Amino acid sequence: MPLDTSTYSLALLRLDGRRWNELRRLTAQISTQAAADGSSYLEMGNTKVICTVTGPSEAKSTGGNRSGGDRADVQVSISIAGFSGVDRKRRGRGDKRTQEMQTTIANAFSQSLFTHLYPHSTIVLSLHILSQDGSLLAALLNASTLALIDAGIPMRDYICACTAGSTSSYSSNDEKADPLLDLNNMEEQELPFLTVATLGDTDDVSVLVMETRVQIGRLEGMLAVGVDGCKQVREILDQVVRKRGVKILEGSQL
């Protein structure tokens, strides 16, 4: 069923009642699993993910030689629950889209983490997707940031991510199309969108993924809205970390 975009120009509201520049409800927790070195649970709208971090630990030796070099190796594994999406399709380990997300996340954090402090070691991120409703890669990046902070692994700054789209498809070529922030699953299926991640509250882009076609004139506006959304996400994640820090300090004083 095609997405009805007629309400955008009339009420300036989207199907879920948000304005074009509003994020969905974002909630998160850290230290959700005591057995892991670091863990987090994050919800972006109805997209729900869990992240656990193991390490830094000694790299496994292969063929009698210790693997790894002067920097820690960041490894990412993603598992998708069969009930997380509408289609109930079971994705195997060789799924191309899953492998692409694993590579994107691993490359992003390899540049952000101070991996030179842990030579010949491995940092493993295990991500579990419980529900999918758009902005999946952004939710995975945000959950990974919180879990790595919980694990105490030093990094340059938060990696905060969100999606941005356009109210018009590539074929319609509508010059009056407006950018949208934080798309849900229905909007992602019908509209062009990109996923952007920035480093902290700066404009430094660490991840930029776009799998749909869009008019070049709209790309700058979409990217600007996405970067602004990342700054809003950064404030929310920072509040979660500070809240957890206050609890730790209160517990140590008892």
Side-chain angles (χ1 to χ4, degrees):
M1 180 178 179
L3 181 65
D4 181 14
T5 58
S6 60
T7 56
Y8 293 142
S9 59
L10 297 177
L12 299 179
L13 295 177
R14 292 147 78 173
L15 297 179
D16 54 7
R18 291 181 293 149
R19 292 183 175 86
W20 63 273
N21 60 345
E22 286 184 344
L23 291 171
R24 292 176 294 177
R25 183 171 178 266
L26 196 159
T27 58
Q29 303 174 26
I30 59 177
S31 296
T32 55
Q33 300 187 39
D37 294 318
S39 58
S40 66
Y41 171 77
L42 182 134
E43 295 183 5
M44 292 182 69
N46 290 324
T47 299
K48 305 175 183 179
V49 298
I50 293 175
C51 180
T52 58
V53 173
T54 305
S57 57
E58 185 177 0
K60 295 181 180 179
S61 58
T62 56
N65 297 323
R66 181 185 293 180
S67 61
D70 296 334
R71 294 175 176 270
D73 181 29
V74 180
Q75 300 178 0
V76 179
S77 65
I78 298 176
S79 62
I80 303 177
F83 54 81
S84 62
V86 178
D87 52 1
R88 303 250 172 181
K89 183 173 66 173
R90 186 176 183 85
R91 296 178 183 268
R93 289 177 176 255
D95 182 67
K96 182 179 178 181
R97 177 163 175 76
T98 302
Q99 290 180 342
E100 288 177 352
M101 290 192 295
Q102 290 175 171
T103 303
T104 300
I105 296 170
N107 290 341
F109 285 103
S110 295
Q111 301 299 321
S112 174
L113 298 174
F114 292 162
T115 53
H116 64 278
L117 300 176
Y118 307 101
H120 308 290
S121 60
T122 304
I123 301 171
V124 180
L125 284 79
S126 299
L127 291 149
H128 307 274
I129 301 170
L130 304 180
S131 178
Q132 302 181 61
D133 187 32
S135 302
L136 181 57
L137 178 59
L140 294 173
L141 286 165
N142 294 331
S144 299
T145 296
L146 292 177
L148 288 166
I149 292 173
D150 184 42
I153 301 174
M155 63 176 67
R156 292 172 59 193
D157 207 329
Y158 295 68
I159 288 185
C160 308
C162 71
T163 56
S166 176
T167 56
S168 177
S169 63
Y170 178 84
S171 58
S172 61
N173 194 20
D174 184 8
E175 296 296 334
K176 297 181 179 179
D178 296 321
L180 298 175
L181 180 65
D182 191 15
L183 277 66
N184 58 33
N185 186 49
M186 185 179 296
E187 291 171 333
E188 284 187 355
Q189 290 178 356
E190 298 291 336
L191 303 177
F193 71 98
L194 57 83
T195 300
V196 59
T198 59
L199 200 60
D201 55 0
T202 66
D203 293 338
D204 297 338
V205 176
S206 58
V207 175
L208 181 59
V209 178
M210 187 168 188
E211 300 174 350
T212 52
R213 300 175 66 189
V214 69
Q215 301 291 341
I216 189 64
R218 302 200 200 106
L219 183 60
E220 184 177 355
M222 292 168 58
L223 187 57
V225 169
V227 170
D228 182 68
C230 291
K231 294 180 180 179
Q232 298 180 45
V233 172
R234 203 263 185 198
E235 294 179 2
I236 298 173
L237 299 186
D238 191 53
Q239 291 175 4
V240 173
V241 174
R242 290 178 182 274
K243 185 178 179 180
R244 176 61 183 173
V246 170
K247 286 186 178 181
I248 294 174
L249 291 174
E250 290 176 349
S252 63
Q253 294 174 358
L254 295 178

